[in-house]
Amino acid sequence: MNPFSSGTRLRDMIKAIRACKTAAEERAVVRKECAAIRSSISENDQDYSHRNIAKLMFIHMLGYPTHFGQMECLKLIASAGFPEKRIGYLGLMLLLDERQEVLMLVTNSLKQDLGHTNQYIVGLALCALGNICSAEMARDLAPEVERLLLTRDPNIKKKAALCSIRIIRKVPDLAENFSSPATSLLKEKHHGVLIAGVQLCTDLCKVSEDASNHLRKNCTEGLVRILKDICNSPYAPEYDIAGITDPFLHIRVLRLLRMLGHGDADTSEYINDILAQVASKTESNKNAGNAILYECVETIMGIEATSGLRVLAINILGRFLSNRDNNIRYVALNMLMKAISVDSQAVQRHRTTILECVKDSDASIRKRALELVFLLVNDTNAKPLTKELIDYLEVSDQDFKGDLTSKICSIIEKFSQEKKWYIDQMVKVLSLAGNYVKDNVWHALIVAISNAPDLQGYSVRSLYKAFQLSSEQVSLVQVTIWCIGEYGEMLVNNVGVLQVEEPMTVTESDAVDVLESCLTHHSTDITTQSMCLIALLKLSSRFPPSSGRVKEIITTHIGSVVLELQQRAIEFNSIIQRHQNIKSSLVERMPVLDESTFISKRAGSSQANISTEKSNQQLPSGASLKLSNGVAKPAASPLVDLLDLSLDDTPVPTSTSNDFLHDLLDVGLTNSSSSGVASASGTDILMDLLSIGTPVQSNTTPENGSSIKAKPNTATVQVVDLLDGLASNGSHPGAQSPVHPSITAYQSSTLKITFSFTKQPDKPQVTQIHATFMNLSSEAYTDFIFQAAVPKFIQLHLDPANSNHLPASGNGRITQTFTITNTQHGQKPLAMRIRIAYKVSNQERLEQGQINNFPPGL
Amino acid sequence: MLGGQLISVLRREIVEEGDEKGVNSMGIRFVLLVNKQGQTRLAQYYAEHLTLDERRALEGEIVRKCLARTEQQCSFVEHRNYKIVYRRYASLFFLVGVDNDENELAILEFIHLFVETMDRHFGNVCELDIMFHLEKAHFMLEEMVMNGCIVETSKSNILAPIQLMEKAS
């Protein structure tokens, strides 16, 4: 049968697929077709293989797997007829890519076809090779391609040239073989050969310095002549687009001239005239002409052009920029970005137009314009530009605000010469788009405010004012809370009023109102709420008359379901209630934050956040405020020691209670476990706890950070006191013996073993381990035996297990208790090898493993 | 001595980077034809190694982005590390993914040339022509673009082999 008329059934399949109303129906049709094609392939049905591949192409396009057709493509390629070969190669290019081993098999067929007498078959092979060849194939077949570059047929020549591009991209070492044949291609008349040859030369320039020197010497003249010819050529219907002869060739030649003229004064001078001719003569009322002008401008910017030529180019861009067609404006913005490094003065002249483009309704244009504006900002125009951008921020699209905000923030940070301007602009941005501001940006603002003692009053007042107008912007709220907490009295007493400020009266209760409204607002997140609590605590010390109200607000959070808030509320409540004498020193103002450390930290990691930042500094105030919290925070480096200590020492009996640290940690742990998260059977109580505590911690305010690294010995007395208070709050049961979390000692697909630990307080070396075995498979185990081995410094005593039969699917467990004595307790951790033997339907099974994840301190 | 080593290491890195750049910048990365409903009607990728899932995801993202734009907006959309140049003909969208330094206006012309070529062959080409003659559409594209580079710009040269084959059959 004739393979070309096989479209009937292909047509049917397409119709069937088009008739499908749902994706599921389409999948079913495709599945059926694939099954038919598979069976047709396995029956080796030659008549249909052409049609099968055509169908697979369609199925592949729809996004279904078609790998089973790959071998069929190879068969078709190996057959003699042109139509079979053609569809085979097409299938090969679509269904395969160079990573697949199947490709190795095709090399031989390709080699044969490259030597074929029929020019169309050679063309097919070249095309396939050019699209998919791998580095190995490139090495194997490069000589054939070189030979074909020299044939007379233009159709083969052009394809061989493009094929060579792929080869030198894959194997740049081969570039030198191709540079002289590439040069000779430029002498051709056929446009296809010329365009392919020019592209080959461009790629040669990219991969090899030698080749580009060779081309510069031998080709520049020829290229200029080609350009001249097509510029001045009479009407050529075959290549004419809107009155211009072959704009594609124009563009490729201009691009190659750019590569050759780049950094080379002689070549640049030589091509000056022709570029001027193209730039001034090309019609700019059609897209094709503009495409050429665009490329020409880029070439003028890319070479060592004369100043006159550059002026011409910039003028073209100016014309583009004022064009009504958005496509033209887009490319103008794109080009101006490249031109800015060549002639920033000239680009500055278009600043107002560019700024207008930032406000365009088209997202692509806005994005380009914004990036360009960002490059245009310098010390002299930073202020007006920032003002324009901020004004626009108010009315811009929601999805553009993110980009716009981050660019504005970096302009403000980069070009702020005076702190007041910086603070003013940041407050504006925060109140307009605070939800889009990145954390490190507002952290930087806090650092800056903390470093400007004479502006602190002004800042807190402006923030207060801004907050009244836009309380929905998270980062504005957070900065405001922080500043009110720190500088609340400056707000109320109007400290450090600048001349420009309008006088305002804020009472103490107004300030507390702000915090209360934030704390209770439905959309406030935990971080903000935590910040509010700290700020409130600070205010209770700054405004003694309001202290009663603050206490009330804090008390309402003692029952908070969020562990972090509950804990803070309880602690702060106890501070207010019982520790008036130390409160003022606890909530002293934050020390000045080190700007340089912050900046370097921020440069190091864009995610740097302020609380870790501050833990690098040693500061004595605010000590021990939240030590119990600190225990739950392994991330803070100074605490790591402390934490280690805690886990090592908790087993030790509390008789050494003169060591306050013990108590402290004890409280820390048991206090948390009273909050309902922990239960004796939970595997990873501590881990759970930590993961709850950590994220909140790392985001919260500086106070938090500072308290963590407090040296315990600076406030010994207070701490003991403090904990006393906590203990008598009755917020936790009097758990005496330390808790070690249970671990999953071993887990496979069939078996899970968990260990839980108990210790007697007076024998730190001895640990009792309760092992629980669980069957995860669906078959019961019999004759279950557990064996364990330990290093020499550990003694092990195994008690008998309660059963040797383990029901399937976790429907029952075996427990076994054993006692270990670690003779080097505190120096070496526990380790254990285990071996489990059992029978499944009378088949013996064996599993082995090693346990290294014992909790420290055993 | 040590300095020399360092320099040679640096130089090698620079060369490798250059290679990478050379490989990555290749003009046209893919040609995509979708209808108004966003269904793919032709897809050809050049030197792009995407799995089926990646391809579907990419096509979905691009289609969502481009089809939502209005007539007045420009024909270029930046997506991932590509620039998409698109043009609409009745119910068909031609989307071409290119590198960032490609001439966008020229790609618009290229799309038009492709459409005109198909028009000349099919006579006022429509979606169904392309669906039912997917292989022919691919052959035409193959004559026009190889490995992401434009190879022929004359419509009669592009169509010559196809017409020859039709005559033979």
Side-chain angles (χ1 to χ4, degrees):
Chain A
M1 72 173 273
N2 184 346
F4 289 101
S5 61
S6 68
T8 46
R9 280 238 28 223
L10 172 68
R11 219 167 244 267
D12 291 343
M13 183 193 82
I14 294 172
K15 276 185 185 150
I17 289 175
R18 269 166 59 84
C20 295
K21 291 203 175 59
T22 62
E25 273 180 50
E26 182 185 291
R27 273 197 296 276
V29 172
V30 169
R31 212 170 21 236
K32 230 173 92 192
E33 277 298 336
C34 285
I37 295 169
R38 271 170 201 266
S39 65
S40 161
I41 289 174
S42 61
E43 282 161 21
N44 221 348
D45 198 340
Q46 296 292 331
D47 291 343
Y48 289 115
S49 54
H50 180 281
R51 184 211 277 169
N52 286 340
I53 298 300
K55 279 191 213 161
L56 281 179
M57 271 167 51
F58 194 87
I59 293 170
H60 176 82
M61 184 189 73
L62 294 175
Y64 294 94
T66 48
H67 49 271
F68 52 86
Q70 292 166 355
M71 290 312 290
E72 199 66 5
C73 292
L74 296 190
K75 270 191 223 156
L76 282 168
I77 290 170
S79 61
F82 177 73
E84 285 82 15
K85 271 189 193 296
R86 172 148 232 186
I87 193 91
Y89 275 120
L90 187 56
L92 182 77
M93 285 184 275
L94 288 172
L95 310 184
L96 291 191
D97 62 55
E98 64 175 288
R99 280 172 304 177
Q100 283 166 330
E101 289 74 20
V102 190
L103 210 48
M104 291 301 293
L105 302 172
V106 86
T107 312
N108 210 26
S109 299
L110 274 172
K111 192 163 186 165
Q112 275 174 8
D113 286 347
L114 287 175
H116 207 281
T117 47
N118 181 329
Q119 56 143 325
Y120 291 104
I121 290 180
V122 178
L124 282 183
L126 278 173
C127 194
L129 189 63
N131 277 336
I132 57 170
C133 88
S134 61
E136 296 96 63
M137 289 169 80
R139 280 210 183 80
D140 287 348
L141 298 175
E144 311 288 325
V145 178
E146 266 178 71
R147 182 176 58 77
L148 291 171
L149 271 179
L150 304 173
T151 53
R152 212 176 292 152
D153 183 357
N155 284 321
I156 291 181
K157 247 186 199 176
K158 68 183 183 195
K159 287 186 178 170
L162 284 187
C163 198
S164 317
I165 294 182
R166 174 100 183 180
I167 290 172
I168 58 170
R169 276 182 191 162
K170 290 287 166 195
V171 191
D173 301 344
L174 292 172
E176 54 181 317
N177 302 357
F178 286 97
S179 38
S180 76
T183 323
S184 63
L185 288 178
L186 300 181
K187 300 190 180 88
E188 294 281 332
K189 283 274 171 281
H190 189 278
H191 279 217
V193 179
L194 278 177
I195 201 165
V198 170
Q199 286 175 103
L200 174 57
C201 291
T202 313
D203 264 81
L204 282 169
C205 287
K206 279 185 200 160
V207 295
S208 147
E209 190 66 29
D210 292 342
S212 99
N213 287 333
H214 173 85
L215 292 170
R216 197 170 284 135
K217 225 178 282 159
N218 299 306
C219 291
T220 316
E221 206 184 327
L223 286 168
V224 170
R225 206 184 51 245
I226 295 173
L227 204 50
K228 229 174 233 159
D229 283 351
I230 49 172
C231 273
N232 303 325
S233 88
Y235 179 67
E238 235 347 276
Y239 294 98
D240 183 80
I241 292 179
I244 293 164
T245 306
D246 208 345
F248 299 103
L249 184 56
H250 262 103
I251 287 164
R252 295 294 145 187
V253 173
L254 284 168
R255 179 159 293 195
L256 179 54
L257 285 176
R258 175 159 80 242
M259 311 257 333
L260 297 177
H262 181 73
D264 187 289
D266 291 342
T267 315
S268 298
E269 199 194 323
Y270 187 79
I271 59 180
N272 247 332
D273 281 351
I274 184 73
L275 291 179
Q277 195 190 333
V278 172
S280 50
K281 274 196 175 169
T282 308
E283 288 285 342
S284 65
N285 50 4
K286 286 276 166 52
N287 181 55
N290 284 327
I292 294 173
L293 284 174
Y294 175 45
E295 197 69 38
C296 188
V297 169
E298 189 161 1
T299 298
I300 292 171
M301 294 298 170
I303 64 165
E304 316 296 310
T306 59
S307 59
L309 200 54
R310 286 215 171 124
V311 170
L312 191 62
I314 294 280
N315 287 344
I316 292 175
L317 288 182
R319 249 181 15 238
F320 274 18
L321 203 55
S322 53
N323 200 307
R324 288 200 3 240
D325 185 346
N326 271 342
N327 289 344
I328 308 290
R329 285 202 292 157
Y330 176 90
V331 297
L333 291 168
N334 214 1
M335 196 58 240
L336 283 168
M337 252 169 86
K338 291 175 189 162
I340 206 165
S341 59
V342 180
D343 190 351
S344 73
Q345 255 345 85
V347 182
Q348 288 285 2
R349 252 181 279 138
H350 298 293
R351 206 175 59 217
T352 25
T353 326
I354 296 165
L355 208 53
E356 281 309 304
C357 292
V358 175
K359 304 170 188 174
D360 201 276
S361 64
D362 186 337
S364 298
I365 290 194
R366 277 197 310 245
K367 189 161 179 248
R368 282 280 131 241
L370 183 61
E371 271 165 34
L372 187 54
V373 166
F374 186 64
L375 293 178
L376 278 177
V377 179
N378 57 27
D379 287 331
T380 51
N381 61 21
K383 282 189 178 180
L385 273 177
T386 315
K387 186 177 176 308
E388 282 273 351
L389 291 177
I390 291 179
D391 286 348
Y392 178 60
L393 186 58
E394 199 165 358
V395 292
S396 67
D397 275 1
Q398 290 302 323
D399 45 351
F400 188 50
K401 275 195 169 128
D403 278 350
L404 189 57
T405 310
S406 76
K407 281 280 189 288
I408 294 177
C409 289
S410 27
I411 292 175
I412 296 174
E413 284 174 359
K414 212 162 132 198
F415 293 99
S416 71
Q417 285 145 337
E418 42 194 301
K419 272 221 159 121
K420 182 172 169 298
W421 183 79
Y422 167 75
I423 292 170
D424 282 345
Q425 305 308 312
M426 283 309 296
V427 171
K428 273 192 214 161
V429 174
L430 287 179
S431 39
L432 286 173
N435 291 332
Y436 300 93
V437 172
K438 299 245 167 26
D439 278 355
N440 56 13
V441 171
W442 66 263
H443 292 167
L445 175 62
I446 286 183
V447 174
I449 293 177
S450 135
N451 276 286
D454 39 341
L455 287 173
Q456 283 162 354
Y458 171 73
S459 308
V460 67
R461 281 188 296 275
S462 347
L463 284 164
Y464 178 83
K465 265 188 276 183
F467 175 83
Q468 301 296 333
L469 298 173
S470 46
S471 57
E472 299 289 323
Q473 308 285 354
V474 177
S475 52
L476 175 75
V477 171
Q478 289 176 333
V479 177
T480 311
I481 292 169
W482 193 88
C483 286
I484 290 182
E486 290 299 312
Y487 314 116
E489 74 279 13
M490 296 187 171
L491 174 67
V492 173
N493 304 334
N494 278 323
V495 175
V497 178
L498 303 184
Q499 282 184 337
V500 290
E501 270 185 86
E502 284 173 35
M504 61 189 279
T505 334
V506 181
T507 63
E508 289 180 4
S509 78
D510 288 342
V512 180
D513 279 346
V514 169
L515 297 176
E516 191 182 7
S517 70
C518 290
L519 196 54
T520 51
H521 195 273
H522 61 90
S523 65
T524 313
D525 61 1
I526 300 172
T527 311
T528 317
Q529 286 180 322
S530 313
M531 291 177 74
C532 281
L533 284 177
I534 290 174
L536 281 168
L537 179 69
K538 292 205 164 194
L539 284 192
S540 86
S541 158
R542 312 251 201 283
F543 306 152
S546 300
S547 148
R549 191 173 154 214
V550 168
K551 184 170 168 291
E552 263 171 43
I553 301 172
I554 290 180
T555 317
T556 57
H557 282 81
I558 282 181
S560 170
V561 286
V562 183
L563 182 62
E564 176 70 27
L565 296 180
Q566 185 191 47
Q567 192 168 355
R568 280 182 195 221
I570 291 173
E571 286 162 1
F572 294 174
N573 191 40
S574 133
I575 290 169
I576 294 174
Q577 233 168 10
R578 308 170 149 263
H579 305 285
Q580 285 297 339
N581 52 336
I582 58 162
K583 189 172 82 180
S584 57
S585 58
L586 277 179
V587 300
E588 259 174 23
R589 186 169 294 164
M590 288 293 292
V592 172
L593 307 163
D594 188 357
E595 248 173 333
S596 55
T597 328
F598 179 76
I599 291 163
S600 63
K601 239 301 181 357
R602 202 176 150 188
S605 79
S606 54
Q607 288 298 309
N609 70 45
I610 234 166
S611 67
T612 48
E613 174 57 35
K614 264 164 227 150
S615 55
N616 285 349
Q617 295 165 245
Q618 293 298 321
L619 28 121
S621 75
S624 67
L625 177 59
K626 294 184 37 64
L627 263 179
S628 55
N629 232 337
V631 171
K633 191 191 181 223
S637 49
L639 251 184
V640 172
D641 296 354
L642 208 70
L643 189 67
D644 268 350
L645 205 61
S646 78
L647 289 165
D648 278 347
D649 285 6
T650 26
V652 181
T654 41
S655 56
T656 53
S657 60
N658 52 346
D659 181 1
F660 77 94
L661 198 60
H662 263 269
D663 263 3
L664 179 66
L665 297 164
D666 220 336
V667 170
L669 287 168
T670 47
N671 184 21
S672 343
S673 64
S674 70
S675 62
V677 176
S679 67
S681 60
T683 38
D684 281 340
I685 309 172
L686 194 58
M687 285 326 287
D688 273 357
L689 218 70
L690 294 175
S691 58
I692 290 174
T694 329
V696 180
Q697 283 270 335
S698 52
N699 285 333
T700 41
T701 57
E703 283 93 326
N704 207 353
S706 71
S707 60
I708 283 159
K709 77 210 101 55
K711 288 270 193 268
N713 50 359
T714 57
T716 316
V717 185
Q718 285 105 325
V719 171
V720 176
D721 228 343
L722 187 71
L723 295 164
D724 255 333
L726 274 174
S728 60
N729 267 345
S731 61
H732 67 92
Q736 283 308 306
S737 57
V739 180
H740 284 288
S742 307
I743 59 168
T744 301
Y746 176 82
Q747 180 153 21
S748 67
S749 56
T750 49
L751 189 68
K752 180 177 172 176
I753 307 175
T754 38
F755 283 359
S756 60
F757 309 93
T758 44
K759 258 183 193 282
Q760 285 168 340
D762 51 347
K763 289 184 195 155
Q765 299 94 345
V766 182
T767 311
Q768 254 198 348
I769 302 179
H770 307 274
T772 311
F773 305 95
M774 215 159 70
N775 181 351
L776 301 176
S777 75
S778 53
E779 288 177 84
Y781 299 161
T782 52
D783 298 325
F784 190 91
I785 299 168
F786 169 80
Q787 293 166 303
V790 287
K792 279 200 183 114
F793 63 88
I794 298 172
Q795 286 158 16
L796 172 73
H797 176 78
L798 275 165
D799 292 337
N802 67 343
S803 160
N804 65 357
H805 178 81
L806 195 52
S809 317
N811 283 329
R813 330 173 151 212
I814 297 178
T815 55
Q816 187 164 20
T817 309
F818 43 99
T819 315
I820 50 171
T821 313
N822 184 352
T823 55
Q824 304 208 20
H825 177 257
Q827 295 159 33
K828 289 192 182 172
L830 285 188
M832 185 181 285
R833 269 175 195 278
I834 54 166
R835 186 177 137 116
I836 308 107
Y838 53 88
K839 286 186 181 168
V840 184
S841 47
N842 270 333
Q843 296 265 314
E844 289 209 357
R845 298 280 175 83
L846 195 67
E847 291 192 52
Q848 299 191 30
Q850 181 156 358
I851 307 174
N852 295 322
N853 59 338
F854 285 102
L858 291 176
Chain B
M1 189 60 206
L2 206 65
Q5 268 176 357
L6 194 67
I7 286 169
S8 70
V9 167
L10 280 178
R11 193 169 297 150
R12 203 173 317 136
E13 275 173 3
I14 289 167
V15 168
E16 274 162 15
E17 250 172 44
D19 285 356
E20 192 112 305
K21 235 180 161 184
V23 172
N24 282 342
S25 77
M26 48 173 303
I28 298 174
R29 304 281 209 102
F30 56 81
V31 177
L32 205 63
L33 207 79
V34 301
N35 64 9
K36 224 169 30 189
Q37 288 78 41
Q39 290 162 315
T40 308
R41 288 301 171 229
L42 183 142
Q44 173 73 63
Y45 290 79
Y46 299 99
E48 223 34 30
H49 299 307
L50 299 175
T51 64
L52 272 180
D53 290 337
E54 287 167 346
R55 230 189 62 194
R56 285 188 107 156
L58 179 73
E59 286 172 16
E61 290 164 13
I62 292 172
V63 164
R64 263 192 302 280
K65 248 187 179 169
C66 293
L67 268 57
R69 293 169 64 84
T70 64
E71 292 274 333
Q72 287 76 40
Q73 292 180 324
C74 69
S75 316
F76 317 122
V77 175
E78 285 160 49
H79 182 73
R80 299 204 200 168
N81 46 345
Y82 312 108
K83 201 171 272 180
I84 319 290
V85 180
Y86 71 92
R87 204 159 171 170
R88 182 181 176 165
Y89 290 86
S91 67
L92 276 182
F93 285 81
F94 288 73
L95 307 144
V96 179
V98 295
D99 287 316
N100 269 319
D101 56 352
E102 190 57 50
N103 186 324
E104 297 92 346
L105 300 177
I107 298 295
L108 277 181
E109 273 319 315
F110 164 77
I111 295 176
H112 193 64
L113 182 67
F114 184 36
V115 174
E116 280 188 337
T117 311
M118 287 200 287
D119 256 350
R120 187 185 279 195
H121 183 76
F122 293 114
N124 212 357
V125 66
C126 70
E127 188 182 337
L128 284 181
D129 288 330
I130 296 168
M131 284 181 82
F132 289 136
H133 303 281
L134 187 61
E135 42 181 291
K136 273 189 208 155
H138 269 291
F139 291 150
M140 279 177 228
L141 193 56
E142 210 173 86
E143 290 293 326
M144 293 178 72
V145 185
M146 243 179 88
N147 195 26
C149 304
I150 294 174
V151 55
E152 182 58 70
T153 54
S154 145
K155 286 183 275 264
S156 47
N157 281 354
I158 296 168
L159 290 173
I162 295 163
Q163 280 158 355
L164 212 68
M165 214 166 63
E166 296 213 321
K167 240 181 255 168
S169 66

